[in-house]
Amino acid sequence: MEFQLSDKAKDYIARTKAFIQTEIEPIEAEFWQAAHKLNPTGDWTTWQWPAKLEELKTKARAQNLWNMFLPDEQLGQGLSVQEYAHIAELSGRSLIAPHVFNCNAPDSGNMELIWRYGNDAQKQQWLTPLLAGEIRSVFGMTEPAVASSDATNMQATAIVEGDEIVLNGRKWWSSGLGDPNAKLIIFMAHTPDESKDRHHQHTMVLVPIDTKGVKIERMLKVFNDYDAPHGHGEMHFDNVRVPLSNVIGGAGEGFAIAQGRLGPGRIHHCMRCIGAAEKSLELAIDRGLSRSAFGKPLLDLGGNRERIADARVKIDQARLLTLYAAYKMDKLGTKAALTEISAIKVVAPTVLQEVVDMAIQLHGGMGVSQDTLLPMFFNQARSLRLADGPDEVHKGMIAKLEVKKRQQATTK
C-alpha cells in the first residue's frame, strides 16, 4: 500500500489549498450572510446564489481548479480517487468550496454516472453543460413512504411503453432541487421484470426538470434550515413520459449503476467530513486559547486538552482509513473495497459529529449561532449518517463480508 502522490497531484493540492486560504475562507462568513438575506423564506422559486459565487468559479476555472473529481484527462484533471481525496478534504473546510470547484454533491456523482454509463448523446446533452458549470442536477432515489435504507423497497415505477418510458412516484431529500440552475433529475425507479432477480428491477432515467408531470412540492428543512439556495426537495412524478433514449445503461441496470455512483461519492463525502473536522478542531483550539474562565484559559479547564488530543487521534484514523479505501478502489476496483467503503461511511461522519460537538461546547452560546460554521458542519455530519445509507446498513454490510470471508477460509 502506497500513499505517494504524483507531482501533478501535489501541484493541484497546493494550488487548491492556496485558493481556499486566499479566496474562499476570508469571505465565507460574508457569503453565507448574503445568501441568507437573498433567500429569507422557503419559496425556492425565488432562491438565488450570491454573485460572489460566479466570480469565484470564474477564478477557479481560470486556474484549472475545476472538475478535479473526474479521473478523465480531457474532461477532468486525470487525478486518481486517492489523489482527489486530498483535494476533497481541503474543500471540506468550507461549505462553498465544492461549488466553486464544480466538485459539489450531488452533481459530481451525477456527472461521473453519466460519464461512466451514459451514451454519447446523453453526454452531449447533459454532461457537457454540467462539466461547464452551466446547469445543476439532482438525484431522485429516496422515497417518503418506504424504508429507503433498502433500495429494493422503491415504489416509484419506470415502465417501458413502446419508445417511451413512463415514470410515476414520489421522491424526497433530492439535494440541489432548490438550486435556481437545476435543470436535470436522474430518477431511479422500479421496473418490474419477473425474469430477473431483485437487483435487476430498477432503472435510471434522465428527466429534464421542466417535463410535464414533474411537480416540485416543497423544500425540506434540515434542523429547521432550508439550506438555501441548494435545498433538499420533495417531488412527485405523475405519468411523466420521456423518450426511451433517456434511460441510462438499459432498463433494469439502475441498481448496479447506483452502486458504481456511490463508491467514489462516499470517498468524497468522507474526506470532506475530515476537512470539516480539521477546521472544527482549529476553531476549538483558537477559542480555547483566546477565552478565559475561572482564571484560566478555557483549554485548561474540564479536560479540554484531552478532548483536543482525542479529536486529533480520531481525525487521523478516519483519514488513513479513507485513503486506504481510495487506494483499494484505484488498484483493485470498487468491489474489492466494499468493506472499506462501508467502514469509512460509518467512521468519518461520526468523527465529524464528535469533533464539532466538542468545538461547539468550547464556543458556548456562539457555537450554536450563525457566527461560526459549526452548526452547518454539525448538520452535515448528522445528515450524512443517514444519506447514502444509514450507519446500520453499512455495519450490516461489513459483518456480512467478514462472515463470508471467514466461511470461505474455513472450508478450504
Side-chain angles (χ1 to χ4, degrees):
M1 180 174 61
E2 282 188 26
F3 291 161
Q4 183 65 35
L5 295 167
S6 65
D7 290 340
K8 175 181 178 179
K10 291 177 182 177
D11 173 64
Y12 273 97
I13 291 166
R15 292 192 294 113
T16 300
K17 183 177 181 179
F19 192 99
I20 291 171
Q21 288 178 337
T22 59
E23 299 286 352
I24 296 178
E25 288 186 327
I27 60 90
E28 179 110 18
E30 177 187 339
F31 180 92
W32 288 114
Q33 289 171 7
H36 288 309
K37 288 179 181 178
L38 284 170
N39 309 291
T41 72
D43 180 7
W44 69 93
T45 63
T46 65
W47 284 358
Q48 55 184 308
W49 286 97
K52 188 69 176 179
L53 179 61
E54 286 302 319
E55 178 186 327
L56 289 169
K57 287 169 69 174
T58 299
K59 288 183 178 180
R61 192 167 188 180
Q63 296 184 31
N64 216 25
L65 300 175
W66 193 258
N67 296 332
M68 293 178 283
F69 69 93
L70 195 65
D72 183 290
E73 292 283 355
Q74 282 73 45
L75 300 178
Q77 305 306 333
L79 299 173
S80 69
V81 176
Q82 183 195 333
E83 288 172 334
Y84 175 68
H86 295 273
I87 292 170
E89 176 181 345
L90 291 171
S91 69
R93 295 172 57 88
S94 160
L95 291 158
I96 56 172
H99 295 275
V100 170
F101 301 132
N102 209 42
C103 294
N104 57 291
D107 292 299
S108 56
N110 290 344
M111 285 187 269
E112 190 158 6
L113 185 154
I114 299 171
W115 172 69
R116 288 187 183 278
Y117 305 103
N119 59 39
D120 289 342
Q122 292 168 347
K123 291 176 183 178
Q124 180 63 37
Q125 183 176 3
W126 297 114
L127 182 58
T128 297
L130 281 167
L131 288 170
E134 295 169 357
I135 65 171
R136 298 270 63 97
S137 62
V138 302
F139 189 69
M141 187 172 187
T142 304
E143 299 182 4
V146 297
S148 293
S149 55
D150 178 359
T152 62
N153 280 338
M154 210 171 283
Q155 291 183 342
T157 57
I159 308 298
V160 177
E161 291 187 5
D163 60 357
E164 290 185 320
I165 189 161
V166 185
L167 312 175
N168 282 283
R170 186 177 298 274
K171 300 288 184 178
W172 72 344
W173 295 116
S174 298
S175 298
L177 193 60
D179 193 304
N181 295 314
K183 304 298 181 186
L184 171 68
I185 301 165
I186 297 181
F187 185 83
M188 183 168 170
H190 184 211
T191 304
D193 188 338
E194 293 182 358
S195 68
K196 296 179 180 179
D197 63 47
R198 70 191 189 102
H199 289 123
H200 290 86
Q201 304 268 343
H202 302 83
T203 304
M204 284 199 192
V205 187
L206 297 162
V207 184
I209 206 166
D210 58 358
T211 303
K212 182 181 178 181
V214 176
K215 183 181 180 182
I216 300 174
E217 297 195 334
R218 60 171 177 159
M219 293 299 134
L220 299 156
K221 290 184 179 181
V222 185
F223 292 125
N224 209 35
D225 181 11
Y226 279 112
D227 194 18
H230 183 65
H232 311 275
E234 181 173 352
M235 54 187 178
H236 183 226
F237 280 53
D238 182 11
N239 204 38
V240 175
R241 293 177 175 269
V242 295
L244 195 57
S245 58
N246 284 30
V247 171
I248 303 174
E253 297 301 315
F255 197 90
I257 293 172
Q259 293 307 304
R261 177 190 185 276
L262 291 171
R266 284 169 181 153
I267 301 287
H268 305 168
H269 274 314
C270 291
M271 289 304 286
R272 282 193 291 265
C273 282
I274 292 162
E278 285 283 7
K279 180 70 173 181
S280 300
L281 179 57
E282 291 173 11
L283 292 173
I285 294 172
D286 292 346
R287 183 72 170 185
L289 291 172
S290 65
R291 291 294 180 97
S292 296
F294 308 105
K296 293 182 179 181
L298 290 180
L299 207 59
D300 293 332
L301 295 173
N304 284 329
R305 284 185 176 271
E306 188 172 320
R307 294 184 181 97
I308 296 295
D310 286 342
R312 166 50 55 215
V313 171
K314 291 175 182 178
I315 292 170
D316 287 350
Q317 288 175 328
R319 178 186 294 109
L320 286 170
L321 183 58
T322 307
L323 290 175
Y324 177 53
Y327 167 85
K328 287 194 74 171
M329 286 184 66
D330 282 333
K331 298 297 182 182
L332 303 173
T334 300
K335 286 187 177 180
L338 290 178
T339 294
E340 291 75 19
I341 292 169
S342 282
I344 64 172
K345 183 56 179 57
V346 173
V347 169
T350 300
V351 167
L352 175 56
Q353 182 177 320
E354 292 172 352
V355 175
V356 175
D357 186 72
M358 179 270 294
I360 287 173
Q361 198 71 11
L362 268 167
H363 278 75
M366 183 182 183
V368 293
S369 78
Q370 69 270 36
D371 289 350
T372 76
L373 293 175
L374 295 173
M376 299 170 83
F377 284 153
F378 187 89
N379 185 324
Q380 171 190 355
R382 193 62 189 85
S383 299
L384 276 174
R385 291 186 58 207
L386 296 169
D388 286 358
D391 292 354
E392 293 78 7
V393 167
H394 288 287
K395 289 179 181 179
M397 172 62 75
I398 295 167
K400 177 182 177 181
L401 292 170
E402 287 301 301
V403 171
K404 181 179 180 181
K405 183 169 61 178
R406 182 59 185 158
Q407 288 174 333
Q408 289 174 339
T410 56
T411 55
K412 288 182 179 179

